[in-house]
Amino acid sequence: MSTIVSLFKDPEPPEPTPVTTLTVVPDPPAALPVPRWVRSGRALKLAVTHENTRASARAVARHSLYVVGGAKIVGRRAWDGRTAARYERFMRTAEAAGNMEAAAEWEERGQRYREARHRRRMDLLHSPLDAAKGAAVGTGMGIGGLVLLGIAMAVATKDASDVVTPLMAVVKFINLMITIVRVVWGPALTLGPFLLLLALWSVGAHQKAAPQWALPPNARTGDGEPITPSIVVKALRDLGVPALRNAIKEMGDAGASMLSPITIAGCGVEVDVTLPSGVSTIEVQNRRRKLAENLSRHEHEVFITIPPAARTVRLWIADSGALDEPIGPSPLVTDDTMTADYAKGRAPWGQDLRGDAAALSLYQRHLLITGLSNQGKTVALRSLALWLALDKSVQFLMGDLKGVGDWAMFDGLARTLIQGPTDEHVIQVTEMVEGAVEEMNRRLMAPPGTVFPALIVLVDEAQVAFMCPVKDDDGRYYGGSKATSRYFMAVRKIHNQGRAVNVLMWQGTQDPTDQNLPKLVREGAHTRASLALGTESQARMALGDKAVDGGAAPNLLRPGLDQGTLVVASSGIDIPKGQSSITVRTHYVDDDAAKAIIDRAKALRDGVTTLTVIERGETRDALADIASVLGTASRVLTADVLKRLSALSEDAYGAWTPGDLKRVLEDAGAEPYKSDGRMVVGRDRVARALANRDADGSASTAG
């Protein structure tokens, strides 16, 4: 009983459990599910833009368009074959080219074709009756022949039934042919359209009658494809000029009358294109790259100029890859007997795009050559000076503000030769040009009719002089382009009056701007030439607005690949009629060949003592000279430092080796170091070494 009662008692309360405070960290919000339509859209976009999908779409479009293009080609061929359309087309083309004799000949051929076609049509009017008569006669003779053959067989076999045996054999044969036709006719009607489509596809595929975007890559390049009238017209049609495209479509001859005869011009072809009304020449010039690609050429292989005829562009199209081939050596190198004539001769400079020799007259013409760095400016300028040096009457004053020895071979030929990039060298070059101004003024005071020998004042890297910040004792800048700038004013004076007394200014400069090549200086040159440049504005600085508006485009030359290729604007070179410039691929004359040419020039003269301002044979401060040739660069290659030192003093540094340079610098605490894997000399290290040496009162000498 007690057990039962205990079961109904309230249970004893449990021991209290200690309360623990928990910090609930909420879960990060779950990412929203991407809707199914978004996923489907992404998948669809990926499928549509995938390269395999695009390639498949191009293949379908290509083969479909082959059929359409083949039908057009077959239709055009049939039309040309049945009408006088081709004669009309050729006649209009000849008339557009001004060749009236050829136009008359094509007109006569067309008339003969029409007469022959008329005779054929008249013959067709009588042909049914003639055919009926012929069929009746032939049928009668055939039946008669078969009967005679049957009689002969009956006589031979003594069986009268053989008389009709040949006739029955013919009837059975005709019945067999009818049966065969009845069997074949159904499938032929079914397969005929497919065979026709296959034939049209074959014609279109052979002619690649599809847009460029639909063709496979190996069919779109077309490198080396010869230039034909149809290719030129198609390239113009697809140029992206709506007025030009519509005009070509409306022409009865499909645009052939726009073109002059295509002529071979050197390593390419040339053709004049008369544009239809409403199309400007500038619209074609501004699409040079697209035109080149439509012609299966690179941009640098197509040149567009403006001939004298109105609304006409002249296209010169190079053979594929021809402009990447080097031209031959200079006649200066191959002809040891060559001499020069300043007044009447022309310097052999290179070849034009036609492959003809390009020769430049230097008589009483100031010269300016510009371009980007390392494009062949110095070699092109030096080639002209080398030729002119072979005229023993010509005198030279030379300033090389690069100072790496490019003009060192003129030592012993030039009256003055200053080489170096520092401000001190700019001062010396300025004084040299001012001395030429004094000589010009002396000549101007001579009696009228006095003939003076040519004095060539040549400054290479002239931008260094224009950018020089140094002032003289009177506070006048050596550089700059103001009325108080000494170098600028000296050049301007020679440009203004030097030509009359054969005192000429030749300058080479790079990367032209209004600061390093002032407008009055560049406009004062009679011969202006430019290598590859970066922008059209630089091209206008180098050659002038007229040349650039006429098609000159040195900014489209390829830096590094078109080294030595110049666009020249000058009256001293033969330029095709109607053009304002010409492109010249100059000969490359290396240093050894230049030295040999100068040796020949020296043999023609009695001997010239060249002034280099710094006397030779003196004891020199090697560390100070190293600092001077470093210029403003933070570091210079040790090989270039040696070249500049040798140009500064051949006696003191001509035999120096990299070891000698390293020894002097290490002794001074300014040892060379590697930068990008090449040994260089640091300007700051040399400057600190000079400052420390001056404090100690010691000096390192050479000589």
Side-chain angles (χ1 to χ4, degrees):
M1 187 71 180
S2 59
T3 305
I4 297 174
V5 172
S6 65
L7 292 173
F8 290 93
K9 283 185 177 181
D10 293 332
E12 296 181 0
E15 293 295 326
T17 303
V19 178
T20 304
T21 302
L22 298 177
T23 302
V24 179
V25 179
D27 294 333
L32 295 176
V34 179
R36 178 175 296 179
W37 66 269
V38 174
R39 294 196 303 270
S40 301
R42 291 175 180 174
L44 179 61
K45 179 181 179 182
L46 178 62
V48 170
T49 59
H50 195 275
E51 183 58 33
N52 292 340
T53 305
R54 297 170 65 184
S56 301
R58 281 198 300 268
V60 172
R62 177 169 64 252
H63 293 291
S64 301
L65 292 171
Y66 279 163
V67 176
V68 177
K72 291 181 179 179
I73 293 172
V74 171
R76 186 165 55 248
R77 290 175 180 174
W79 178 258
D80 286 346
R82 300 295 297 175
T83 67
R86 68 173 63 186
Y87 300 99
E88 294 287 343
R89 183 167 62 249
F90 292 147
M91 184 177 66
R92 282 194 292 268
T93 301
E95 288 177 346
N99 190 346
M100 296 304 158
E101 294 182 0
E105 181 180 353
W106 284 113
E107 183 179 15
E108 183 181 353
R109 291 186 181 184
Q111 187 61 32
R112 289 201 300 266
Y113 172 82
R114 293 186 184 92
E115 293 175 356
R117 183 180 61 185
H118 178 71
R119 287 195 299 271
R120 290 194 300 271
R121 290 176 176 175
M122 295 302 296
D123 291 340
L124 287 175
L125 297 177
H126 304 284
S127 58
L129 181 60
D130 295 339
K133 292 180 179 179
V137 173
T139 301
M141 293 181 63
I143 294 175
L146 291 175
V147 171
L148 291 177
L149 178 60
I151 294 173
M153 292 177 61
V155 172
T157 60
K158 297 180 180 180
D159 185 358
S161 62
D162 286 341
V163 173
V164 297
T165 298
L167 287 174
M168 294 305 299
V170 172
V171 171
K172 290 180 179 180
F173 177 76
I174 294 173
N175 186 47
L176 177 63
M177 291 297 101
I178 293 173
T179 303
I180 293 174
V181 170
R182 291 177 61 185
V183 172
V184 174
W185 185 252
L189 289 178
T190 303
L191 296 177
F194 295 100
L195 295 176
L196 177 61
L197 290 177
L198 180 62
L200 295 177
W201 175 90
S202 177
V203 174
H206 180 71
Q207 298 292 333
K208 293 182 175 59
Q212 287 290 317
W213 59 265
L215 295 177
N218 58 350
R220 278 181 292 199
T221 56
D223 289 342
E225 186 178 5
I227 299 299
T228 62
S230 60
I231 289 177
V232 176
V233 172
K234 186 178 180 182
L236 293 169
R237 184 195 66 193
D238 299 337
L239 200 55
V241 182
L244 180 59
R245 181 178 62 251
N246 295 335
I248 292 176
K249 288 182 178 179
E250 293 173 359
M251 292 180 183
D253 56 357
S257 59
M258 297 167 52
L259 308 183
S260 70
I262 297 177
T263 58
I264 296 176
C267 57
V269 297
E270 190 174 75
V271 59
D272 285 357
V273 181
T274 302
L275 301 176
S277 178
V279 181
S280 171
T281 56
I282 193 66
E283 293 182 277
V284 178
Q285 284 183 299
N286 290 341
R287 290 169 171 81
R288 178 186 176 191
R289 173 176 294 182
K290 189 170 185 179
L291 178 62
E293 292 171 351
N294 290 348
L295 292 168
S296 301
R297 295 294 189 271
H298 296 290
E299 184 179 12
H300 71 277
E301 294 176 329
V302 175
F303 287 81
I304 306 173
T305 55
I306 308 299
R311 214 173 63 243
T312 303
V313 293
R314 178 168 295 163
L315 306 181
W316 185 86
I317 307 162
D319 298 336
S320 184
L323 294 184
D324 296 327
E325 299 293 330
I327 64 174
S330 171
L332 290 170
V333 178
T334 58
D335 187 359
D336 294 339
T337 63
M338 175 176 284
T339 58
D341 187 339
Y342 161 73
K344 300 179 181 179
R346 289 175 176 253
W349 211 6
Q351 294 179 1
D352 62 16
L353 296 179
R354 293 170 170 266
D356 299 329
L360 179 67
S361 173
L362 304 173
Y363 179 65
Q364 292 188 345
R365 289 179 175 87
H366 302 303
L367 176 67
L368 173 65
I369 298 180
T370 187
L372 297 178
S373 177
N374 195 33
Q375 298 304 310
K377 166 182 56 63
T378 296
V379 172
L381 183 60
R382 190 176 66 182
S383 296
L384 299 177
L386 289 172
W387 176 79
L388 200 54
L390 296 175
D391 184 340
K392 63 181 181 180
S393 67
V394 178
Q395 303 170 1
F396 291 94
L397 302 178
M398 292 185 167
D400 174 16
L401 293 177
K402 184 189 297 181
V404 295
D406 290 333
W407 299 88
M409 68 285 299
F410 281 85
D411 191 358
L413 188 141
R415 285 171 48 185
T416 301
L417 178 60
I418 299 169
Q419 302 179 91
T422 66
D423 292 339
E424 179 62 30
H425 292 99
V426 172
I427 293 172
Q428 295 173 8
V429 167
T430 302
E431 293 172 349
M432 177 191 77
V433 178
E434 291 174 339
V437 173
E438 294 177 2
E439 171 64 15
M440 176 190 72
N441 292 332
R442 184 190 66 81
R443 294 184 178 190
L444 289 171
M445 298 301 293
T450 305
V451 178
F452 297 98
L455 175 62
I456 306 300
V457 186
L458 189 152
V459 179
D460 195 11
E461 305 296 340
Q463 77 278 355
V464 178
F466 286 113
M467 299 299 290
C468 180
V470 178
K471 293 182 180 181
D472 62 10
D473 296 337
D474 298 329
R476 298 177 60 195
Y477 285 101
Y478 285 93
S481 57
K482 297 182 179 179
T484 56
S485 302
R486 292 181 58 177
Y487 180 80
F488 169 75
M489 290 305 298
V491 172
R492 286 292 300 136
K493 289 176 182 178
I494 294 177
H495 278 175
N496 290 338
Q497 295 180 298
R499 176 177 176 273
V501 289
N502 288 328
V503 177
L504 303 178
M505 192 75 209
W506 290 10
Q507 294 183 100
T509 182
Q510 67 181 24
D511 203 8
T513 65
D514 284 328
Q515 289 72 38
N516 64 24
L517 188 59
K519 177 179 176 61
L520 292 178
V521 171
R522 58 182 187 251
E523 296 291 342
H526 303 101
T527 295
R528 300 167 70 174
S530 176
L531 296 115
L533 288 173
T535 64
E536 182 180 328
S537 62
Q538 287 185 316
R540 293 184 181 277
M541 292 181 189
L543 300 176
D545 292 337
K546 179 181 178 182
V548 175
D549 292 339
N555 53 301
L556 297 181
L557 295 175
R558 302 166 299 166
L561 298 177
D562 290 326
Q563 287 182 329
T565 300
L566 288 160
V567 182
V568 185
S570 172
S571 61
I573 194 170
D574 292 334
I575 297 178
K577 185 178 179 182
Q579 297 184 24
S580 56
S581 65
I582 188 172
T583 302
V584 177
R585 304 171 69 197
T586 58
H587 296 294
Y588 177 74
V589 181
D590 59 27
D591 291 348
D592 293 336
K595 292 176 182 177
I597 296 169
I598 290 298
D599 289 340
R600 286 159 41 198
K602 290 178 180 178
L604 300 175
R605 303 166 188 254
D606 295 333
V608 177
T609 301
T610 300
L611 300 178
T612 58
V613 180
I614 300 174
E615 295 295 332
R616 296 170 179 265
E618 59 182 338
T619 301
R620 306 189 60 84
D621 186 344
L623 191 60
D625 286 344
I626 293 173
S628 67
V629 300
L630 289 178
T632 59
S634 60
R635 58 183 179 271
V636 179
L637 295 174
T638 55
D640 290 344
V641 173
L642 288 173
K643 289 182 180 180
R644 295 179 182 184
L645 288 173
S646 179
L648 182 64
S649 177
E650 181 72 18
D651 292 344
Y653 305 111
W656 267 35
T657 64
D660 296 326
L661 177 62
K662 182 179 179 182
R663 173 182 54 80
V664 172
L665 292 173
E666 286 180 345
D667 292 343
E671 59 274 9
Y673 61 97
K674 279 192 175 183
S675 176
D676 296 331
R678 304 183 70 181
M679 296 301 295
V680 298
V681 179
R683 183 189 62 183
D684 293 339
R685 292 189 180 189
V686 175
R688 285 195 300 268
L690 272 175
N692 295 335
R693 189 198 66 183
D694 292 340
D696 296 338
S698 60
S700 175
T701 60

